[in-house]
């Protein structure tokens, strides 16, 4: 299968980001990202879907949308909508109606930053997902590069440190978000996990300090969602768009943080009477195999519990019964053990 690196969830000048679509496209080419899913707040920008090219390199930009009710206080329940061709912001005040309408239109919906703390030093309120009665969504944003900042930078001094050295921010998905994901999976539903950057590339001025904080290139080199597709991008926009969204909808993807080491090449497969990859359901027993581009501390998780933890570049496991199996990997980076790769599950029945 072919691997496409997707950076998803970012903002442009159409909402509260500082960059244009063309600047995002150039940043993707510079950092080797294949696909950008741009999600401005409450607007589906038309006419910007395009390929950006540099020699043989190609990056595909697709406009999507991040929707939330702007009249709600605090403004919780942000939803990422992918694969849509019409604006759904008019349904923002009813998350279930919104999710159902996106699904009916053939789109995908992901609960954005399900846990997103306040940041009183900057007047930011808690914008976690709150409406847990909703059903029918594709998945959730397990790791969000920007909401993680709020958990490490609680004051202005911390924020200045991380503005200059953003590579110190990523530690892994928030434990509470991982717990929410495992709980949802335990109910028997398929829930696809993606990693988003929530990039804004905002300009910061504090006295003599002027800086673009967390530029797009930084985000594109950090947390990405890698999809496995039947082939590479073809150059046909409609075909490529369909291929990317089908892979995401099926959960044929993993989250990779490229700061500690490159994550391209990771694979998690099952071989039994049937074979499958992340996102697939397998009947009967299977041998699970996780292969990593380099050695790491690997955890095999079954139904939310760690059943194996080894330091290696390959993990093999013969299933001993039905369960939802997924893999996490950690690497030592900048003095700490940090999250590196998080797979989507293989569902063994
Ligand atoms: Zn948001
Ligand atoms: Zn956002």
């Amino acid at each position: 299968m072919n691997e496409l690196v997707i950076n998803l969830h970012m903002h442009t000048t159409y909402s509260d980001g500082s960059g244009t679509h063309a600047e995002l496209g150039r940043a993707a080419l510079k950092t080797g990202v294949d696909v950008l899913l741009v999600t401005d707040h409450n607007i589906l920008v038309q006419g910007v879907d395009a390929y950006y090219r540099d020699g043989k390199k190609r990056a595909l930009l697709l406009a999507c949308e991040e929707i939330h009710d702007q009249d709600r206080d605090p403004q919780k329940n942000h939803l990422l909508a992918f694969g849509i061709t019409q604006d759904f912001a008019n349904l923002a005040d009813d998350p279930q109606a919104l999710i159902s309408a996106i699904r009916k239109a053939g789109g995908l919906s992901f609960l954005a930053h399900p846990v997103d703390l306040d940041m009183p030093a900057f007047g930011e309120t808690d914008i976690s997902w709150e409406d847990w009665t909703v059903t029918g969504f594709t998945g959730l944003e397990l790791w969000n590069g920007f909401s993680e900042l709020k958990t490490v930078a609680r004051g202005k001094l911390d924020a200045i440190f991380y503005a200059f050295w953003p590579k110190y921010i990523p530690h892994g998905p928030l434990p509470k978000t991982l717990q929410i994901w495992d709980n949802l999976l335990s109910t028997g539903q398929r829930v696809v996990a993606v990693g988003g950057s929530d990039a804004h590339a905002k300009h910061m001025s504090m006295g003599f300090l002027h800086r673009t904080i967390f530029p797009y290139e930084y985000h594109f080199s950090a947390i990405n969602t890698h999809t496995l597709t039947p082939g590479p991008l073809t150059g046909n926009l409609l075909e490529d768009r369909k291929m990317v969204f089908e892979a995401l909808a099926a959960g044929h993807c993993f989250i990779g943080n490229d700061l500690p080491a490159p994550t391209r090449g990771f694979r998690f497969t099952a071989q039994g009477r049937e074979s499958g990859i992340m996102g697939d359901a397998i009947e009967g027993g299977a041998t699970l195999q996780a292969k990593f581009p380099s050695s790491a501390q690997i955890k095999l998780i079954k139904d939310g519990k760690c059943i194996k933890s080894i330091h290696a570049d390959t993990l093999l496991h013969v299933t001993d019964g039905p369960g939802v199996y997924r893999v996490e990997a950690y690497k030592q980076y900048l003095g700490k053990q940090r999250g590196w790769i998080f797979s989507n599950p293989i569902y063994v029945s």
Side-chain angles (χ1 to χ4, degrees):
M1 292 203 91
N2 182 74
E3 182 171 344
L4 290 178
V5 178
I6 301 180
N7 196 277
L8 60 89
H9 190 169
M10 69 215 70
H11 300 278
T12 73
T13 49
Y14 279 86
S15 57
D16 55 351
S18 75
T20 62
H21 291 90
E23 283 165 348
L24 287 177
R26 286 197 289 275
L29 289 171
K30 242 192 238 172
T31 49
V33 166
D34 300 302
V35 180
L36 296 178
L37 304 183
V38 184
T39 52
D40 276 305
H41 291 291
N42 301 303
I43 178 170
L44 180 66
V45 183
Q46 300 290 339
V48 292
D49 288 8
Y51 295 94
Y52 288 84
R53 291 186 172 85
D54 179 14
K56 282 191 177 165
K57 283 198 223 165
R58 174 160 57 189
L60 172 61
L61 183 151
L62 296 171
C64 305
E65 186 173 10
E66 181 176 20
I67 301 166
H68 73 278
D69 181 1
Q70 290 163 287
D71 295 329
R72 195 185 189 286
D73 185 24
Q75 297 189 5
K76 294 181 178 237
N77 298 333
H78 290 208
L79 189 79
L80 299 172
F82 302 149
I84 51 170
T85 51
Q86 69 182 95
D87 189 339
F88 284 96
N90 60 321
L91 296 174
D93 63 348
D94 184 342
Q96 184 59 67
L98 176 62
I99 288 167
S100 302
I102 292 168
R103 179 167 284 265
K104 202 168 163 215
L108 287 64
S109 59
F110 290 85
L111 314 186
H113 43 78
V115 178
D116 195 304
L117 299 184
D118 63 357
M119 215 179 176
F122 292 88
E124 300 256 354
T125 51
D126 180 317
I127 48 166
S128 303
W129 187 271
E130 200 163 70
D131 187 347
W132 289 107
T133 61
V134 293
T135 56
F137 51 92
T138 314
L140 53 76
E141 188 183 34
L142 185 71
W143 195 353
N144 174 302
F146 192 61
S147 41
E148 192 177 7
L149 167 71
K150 300 177 186 176
T151 66
V152 292
R154 298 305 290 159
K156 283 201 167 148
L157 274 180
D158 294 343
I160 292 171
F161 171 81
Y162 290 110
F164 278 86
W165 291 284
K167 290 180 176 178
Y168 282 84
I169 299 170
H171 287 68
L174 304 182
K176 202 170 161 193
T177 313
L178 275 168
Q179 186 69 58
I180 288 170
W181 187 34
D182 283 329
N183 288 347
L184 287 168
L185 291 170
S186 74
T187 65
Q189 58 184 309
R190 306 267 185 95
V191 183
V192 178
V194 292
S197 55
D198 213 347
H200 293 77
K202 281 192 175 161
H203 301 305
M204 180 182 83
S205 289
M206 283 177 96
F208 61 91
L209 286 176
H210 303 282
R211 198 174 170 82
T212 299
I213 50 169
F214 319 125
Y216 297 111
E217 284 90 346
Y218 156 71
H219 281 293
F220 297 176
S221 310
I223 302 161
N224 290 295
T225 301
H226 298 233
T227 51
L228 298 180
T229 54
L233 293 177
T234 61
N236 177 316
L237 202 139
L238 284 181
E239 272 178 29
D240 287 344
R241 189 176 184 278
K242 185 166 176 278
M243 179 171 72
V244 166
F245 291 131
E246 277 180 359
L248 275 180
H252 293 162
C253 53
F254 68 90
I255 303 166
N257 168 21
D258 270 9
L259 291 175
T263 60
R264 256 190 206 265
F266 166 73
R267 297 291 182 268
F268 181 39
T269 54
Q271 195 63 55
R273 258 187 305 140
E274 304 172 62
S275 62
I277 62 169
M278 290 166 288
D280 287 340
I282 300 287
E283 258 184 59
T287 301
L288 304 176
Q289 184 183 51
K291 285 178 91 169
F292 295 80
S294 56
S295 291
Q297 191 63 37
I298 310 169
K299 288 182 180 181
L300 176 66
I301 315 286
K302 180 190 176 190
D303 297 331
K305 289 195 181 67
C306 177
I307 56 166
K308 204 177 254 183
S309 179
I310 56 168
H311 194 273
D313 63 5
T314 307
L315 177 140
L316 281 171
H317 180 79
V318 179
T319 61
D320 54 358
V324 179
Y325 293 86
R326 60 179 190 82
V327 169
E328 299 177 353
Y330 296 80
K331 282 241 191 208
Q332 195 69 19
Y333 177 65
L334 297 178
K336 283 184 180 172
Q337 190 84 333
R338 293 171 188 266
W340 184 44
I341 287 174
F342 293 81
S343 81
N344 264 289
I346 294 177
Y347 303 85
V348 180
S349 61

